[in-house]
């Protein structure tokens, strides 16, 4: 791969690949590389909203994302950070990427009641007529672990999880797609995760949404810690003062943290995150 293809402004592909543990593996503009890089990313870099707890919107500049999520090693980020970084990596590898914006609809009675606050990606692969939905930044146990083709009513198995895409009616001119996850433990069936159309969104759009999610006092991300990490055999979530562990067999356990010191120990030991100085986790 020529050096010119391995970097973009503020982005270092080699450092990114090292961060996700990709050293020495084959790279090509194909579905195997796309799937492998996505899975490696979600296993290596945790989801977290600690910057928003300080009332600060995290920077989406690539140089800042490299410093925090790649070179920092002991931090993560939320969807705009993860998928902005992931999109830069894919483009450096030679993929064509469209940035999307989705409505998170887990538990929603009406999809239209949820604003578009989630960044996802649509990725094109040369020679494949189907684009792929790719996403490393959905902070939920129903998140994609590998990309899935943009094909309706077909079940996909991604690294042990089950997903499908369906169409739902809406008033706009473009088809509305919904990503569903099979959630035996919670719903006993298919559970809608997020809804989207395929028009592209620009960095300026995410700057505005990022600021709103991080600083709006009504945003859940500005009010309590929300951190997740994918382990080889389980998904671990810190939601406020609760640690929820979901194993691959569907077993769910939950415990409540007792104090601030325990919360910091859990983040550092179990999630691999260094908590910024002066931040109070449990208000």
């Amino acid at each position: 791969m020529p050096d010119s293809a391995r970097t973009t402004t503020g982005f270092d592909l080699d450092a990114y690949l090292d961060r996700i543990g990709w050293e020495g593996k084959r790279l090509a503009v194909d579905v195997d590389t796309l799937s492998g890089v996505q899975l490696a990313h979600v296993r290596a870099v945790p989801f977290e909203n600690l910057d928003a707890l300080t009332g600060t919107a995290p920077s989406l500049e690539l140089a800042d994302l490299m410093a925090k999520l790649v070179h920092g090693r002991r931090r993560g980020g939320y969807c705009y950070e993860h998928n902005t970084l992931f999109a830069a990596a894919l483009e450096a590898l030679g993929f064509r990427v469209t940035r999307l914006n989705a409505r998170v609809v887990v538990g929603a009675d009406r999809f239209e009641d949820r604003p578009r606050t989630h960044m996802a990606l649509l990725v094109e692969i040369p020679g494949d007529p189907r684009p792929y939905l790719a996403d490393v930044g959905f902070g939920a146990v129903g998140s994609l672990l590998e990309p899935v083709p943009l094909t309706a009513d077909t079940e996909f198995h991604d690294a042990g999880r089950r997903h499908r895409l369906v169409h739902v009616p809406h008033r706009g001119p473009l088809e509305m797609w919904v990503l569903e996850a099979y959630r035996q433990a919670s719903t006993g069936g298919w559970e809608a995760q997020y809804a989207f159309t395929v028009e592209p969104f620009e960095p300026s759009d995410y700057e505005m949404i990022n600021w709103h999610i991080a600083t709006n006092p009504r945003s859940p991300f500005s009010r309590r810690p929300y951190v997740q990490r994918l382990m080889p055999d389980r998904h671990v979530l810190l939601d406020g003062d609760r640690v929820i562990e979901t194993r691959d067999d569907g077993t769910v356990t939950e415990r409540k943290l007792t104090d601030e010191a325990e919360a910091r120990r859990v983040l550092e030991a179990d999630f691999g995150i260094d908590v910024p100085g002066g931040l109070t986790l449990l208000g």
Side-chain angles (χ1 to χ4, degrees), residues 13-231:
L13 180 60
D14 289 324
Y16 171 82
L17 294 173
D18 179 68
R19 173 70 170 98
I20 66 172
W22 194 263
E23 305 96 314
K25 298 179 184 177
R26 170 185 171 274
L27 288 169
V29 188
D30 60 19
V31 69
D32 289 340
T33 295
L34 175 60
S35 297
V37 171
Q38 175 167 327
L39 182 59
H41 182 123
V42 296
R43 285 177 169 168
V45 189
F47 181 102
E48 51 109 325
N49 68 323
L50 300 188
D51 284 354
L53 295 180
T54 70
T56 302
S59 172
L60 301 184
E61 294 295 326
L62 280 175
D64 295 332
L65 293 175
M66 288 293 298
K68 181 183 176 186
L69 277 68
V70 175
H71 298 302
R73 294 280 177 174
R74 299 277 301 178
R75 287 295 305 272
Y78 59 13
C79 71
Y80 316 115
E81 298 171 276
H82 277 280
N83 280 323
T84 297
L85 185 69
F86 185 44
L90 295 180
E91 289 171 337
L93 287 167
F95 293 94
R96 183 174 177 179
V97 180
T98 299
R99 292 150 177 83
L100 307 176
N101 211 19
R103 304 179 189 275
V104 177
V105 296
V106 179
D109 294 325
R110 280 174 29 95
F111 291 177
E112 296 83 357
D113 291 341
R114 299 287 181 87
R116 294 198 187 208
T117 58
H118 176 63
M119 181 182 186
L121 307 175
L122 200 63
V123 183
E124 297 176 38
I125 297 174
D128 193 329
R130 308 166 301 175
Y132 284 74
L133 177 68
D135 189 352
V136 295
F138 191 52
V141 72
S143 63
L144 283 175
L145 300 185
E146 297 177 302
V148 296
L150 196 68
T151 302
D153 304 317
T154 301
E155 182 175 331
F156 302 102
H157 290 212
D158 50 302
R161 294 184 180 177
R162 297 165 62 184
H163 286 92
R164 70 181 182 185
L165 290 162
V166 299
H167 288 141
V168 295
H170 81 125
R171 292 179 297 173
L174 298 177
E175 290 178 319
M176 178 68 74
W177 295 84
V178 177
L179 175 71
E180 296 185 335
Y182 191 82
R183 299 279 289 116
Q184 182 66 50
S186 61
T187 65
W190 293 100
E191 178 184 72
Q193 303 297 295
Y194 55 79
F196 62 95
T197 52
V198 297
E199 74 269 29
F201 281 71
E202 302 299 334
S204 57
D205 299 316
Y206 298 114
E207 288 289 345
M208 180 183 68
I209 304 166
N210 177 43
W211 179 83
H212 166 77
I213 288 297
T215 64
N216 189 322
R218 297 177 60 186
S219 167
F221 282 169
S222 69
R223 293 184 291 175
R224 69 182 191 273
Y226 192 89
V227 185
Q228 72 170 10
R229 185 179 179 189
L230 182 67
M231 309 287 195

Side-chain angles (χ1 to χ4, degrees), residues 161 229-236 245-248:
R161 294 184 180 177
R229 185 179 179 189
L230 182 67
M231 309 287 195
D233 61 346
R234 64 193 186 278
H235 173 276
V236 185
E245 181 179 279
T246 305
R247 292 195 168 270
D248 288 349

Side-chain angles (χ1 to χ4, degrees), residues 46 227-229 236-238 243 266-273:
V227 185
Q228 72 170 10
R229 185 179 179 189
V236 185
L237 169 68
L238 171 67
V243 178
V266 165
L267 278 182
E268 292 168 1
D270 296 344
F271 291 86
I273 291 175

